[in-house]
Amino acid sequence: MSKTATALKQAEAFGPETLNIDCEAEVEKIVAALRSQLRAMRKRGLVLGLSGGIDSSVSAALAVRAVGAKNVFTLFMPEHDSDPESLRLGRLVAETYGIESVVEDIGPTLAAMGCYSRRDEFIRTLVPEYGPGWASKVAISNSAEGGGFNISYLVVADPDGNQSRHRMPLNAYLGIVAATNMKQRTRKQLEYFHADRLNFAVLGTPNRLEYDQGFFVKNGDGAADVKPIAHLYKGQVYQLAAHLGVPEEIRKRPPTTDTYSLAQTQEEFYFSLPWDKMDLCLYGLNHGLDAGEVAVAAGLKREAVEYVYADITAKRSATRYLHASPLLVEKVEELDRLD
């Protein structure tokens, strides 16, 4: 069958059910891979951070299936801007699977490094009165609304809860993001501390959408020894969550960055659309499906899907360096591939 005929056949039956998987077979495949990877690294178990989100919860459940609860160690790493629900739900996961865990409050460390003060200095270039009692987040325009460009905004709330939205120049955006990236890198330092003392490997938790689109911090949450769900679309992670018994309230919790002091969904910060529609667009692009077919399945306009296709491709190019190993003089050809 030709590539064109294959694409047409896929398009005819394309819909959310296209991403359905045999959960037990998938679990067995991932468990076998983890065991093989640990043997190759000569590691005894797995360390991961638990955020109370779906990806880390499924990853923890898979780790327990692979090496047993006694060989899994989890960390809760709240800081000044964290949602208290994240700690509560993370503990619920650890209790559900019988995993040893520890709370590492990274707030004082971040404050000492100037994470919050550096961020606030950049915010005050746009909102001079920003200070104690205020809250903030970074958001982008919604692609489904037909913008054509991802425009970043700073959203702030004063102590009375009144919100305002401010278009950010590049230097302010980069400064705010650079400061907040300290959070992911500090968490990873602690994960590797515990991994080193236990002779365990660090487990990373990105799903396929996050991994493909560079939704991670280099040497932060992007750093890991194994990434067992990076090949799974977000909806497939939810399928595994139900199969593995992840608590229902975690499965119903909207995906969040839990990075800024104002509540922030992942699509507000980075993705063009909610995860279920992004799954369909990413799958469609990966399998050569026409934007019109994906639009019908996702309940979008064709133009919106065409924009998302372009946005996915652009993010792949812009974040390719996040996946790259350090470049060496002897391997200068790697630099050419990044151009």
Side-chain angles (χ1 to χ4, degrees), residues 78-83 116 119 180 183 258-262:
E79 45 91 14
H80 297 346
D81 295 327
S82 296
D83 182 348
Y116 306 113
R119 176 202 62 196
T180 56
K183 300 180 181 185
D258 199 19
T259 298
Y260 292 86
S261 48
L262 280 178

Side-chain angles (χ1 to χ4, degrees), residues 325-334:
S325 301
L327 300 175
L328 308 178
V329 172
E330 291 84 354
K331 295 185 178 181
V332 70
E333 66 273 11
E334 292 184 26

